[in-house]
Amino acid sequence: LNPAKRGAHAAASLRPPDPAFVEGWSPASGVRMVTLAPELPGALDVVRALTSAGVVVSAGHSTATLDEGRAGFDAGITTVTHLFNAMPPLDHRAPGLVAAAIADQRVTVSLIPDGIHVAPAMVALVWQLAGRSRFAFVTDAIAALGMPPGTYRLAGAEVVVDEMAARIGDVLAGSILSLDQGVRNLIGFTGCSAAEAVGAASAVPARLIGAMDRGMLRVGARADVVLLTRDLNVAATVVGGCVVHAGPR
């Protein structure tokens, strides 16, 4: 990650890109996706090493310019980590990584639809520009999700959580957005259908990481299913074909 855009990540934990460090990383060894800043020296070599091993590489926590973002996508980066956040804003004279990602048909854009990390109008704009096949959303939720307001710990740091967000000082530190609330928000922000919003939380990210046995209902797919009510609240959760959670009847 670029130290200038590290967000809530500890500075002491950062390291420069090094192909030798990621040697052996692969889905088989437990590494499915890696976020890095493509503008850092040596980053593109790491991108090539990871993608050749089947790891999905995401651009994020970055100060990349438009050209640096494009170079990262040409090297094999296929997505971005929480679009707009921990990167320069979209600017009409300095389009940057945001514009590079939205414009590139090879790239799946993901963002946090809590209405705080990205304004609802901007979520709607990205939805219109990227389309449902390239739009995924992430919660970026921390362990305080579902907990009452208070003070919690994140990677050794003190996090203050209120009814809407989690912060370390003035810096957003992940979110407290649940996936089902994200689905409801996406519909409210964009006017998309329930099926499209659910797809942005399931089928699109599953396809991005090559998990073709997930994100769909068909014979042979994983029997991991969330059942929603008509108002899109969780009615039941099925994992491996077994009901592990059932809401009130």
Side-chain angles (χ1 to χ4, degrees):
L1 311 184
N2 191 314
K5 291 293 182 180
R6 64 183 176 88
H9 293 274
S13 298
L14 303 184
R15 63 181 298 140
D18 181 359
F21 183 73
V22 303
E23 187 174 348
W25 290 14
S26 71
S29 68
V31 180
R32 177 80 73 170
M33 179 182 287
V34 170
T35 294
L36 56 71
E39 73 278 9
L40 295 178
L44 299 188
D45 291 333
V46 172
V47 172
R48 297 183 187 99
L50 289 171
T51 55
S52 66
V55 176
V56 176
V57 181
S58 181
H61 288 273
S62 165
T63 63
T65 63
L66 180 72
D67 289 341
E68 289 168 336
R70 286 172 171 171
F73 300 138
D74 288 341
I77 295 174
T78 53
T79 187
V80 288
T81 298
H82 42 55
L83 190 74
F84 295 110
N85 297 115
M87 61 187 67
L90 181 64
D91 184 272
H92 63 296
R93 292 192 177 95
L97 183 58
V98 173
I102 293 174
D104 197 318
Q105 296 299 310
R106 300 170 295 180
V107 176
T108 298
V109 297
S110 69
L111 50 73
I112 306 168
D114 61 355
I116 298 170
H117 281 80
V118 182
M122 292 302 289
V123 176
L125 179 62
V126 175
W127 176 264
Q128 293 173 11
L129 295 173
R132 64 182 182 181
S133 65
R134 292 202 298 124
F135 187 106
F137 80 76
V138 294
T139 66
D140 206 37
I142 63 173
L145 167 63
M147 301 297 289
T151 301
Y152 299 90
R153 304 291 293 178
L154 175 65
E158 187 175 274
V159 181
V160 177
V161 174
D162 59 23
E163 291 81 1
M164 299 296 293
R167 290 181 171 87
I168 298 176
D170 294 331
V171 178
L172 286 168
S175 87
I176 51 172
L177 174 71
S178 65
L179 203 62
D180 59 313
Q181 184 61 55
V183 167
R184 295 189 292 272
N185 285 354
L186 189 59
I187 294 170
F189 295 167
T190 69
C192 70
S193 69
E196 290 171 330
V198 168
S202 57
V204 175
R207 185 175 65 247
L208 171 66
I209 64 172
M212 303 313 294
D213 61 341
R214 308 183 191 204
M216 62 194 73
L217 295 174
R218 62 169 174 78
V219 175
R222 291 173 63 98
D224 297 344
V225 182
V226 177
L227 304 180
L228 302 176
T229 63
R230 289 185 180 276
D231 56 0
L232 301 177
N233 288 298
V234 176
T237 305
V238 179
V239 178
C242 300
V243 177
V244 297
H245 168 76
R249 295 181 180 275

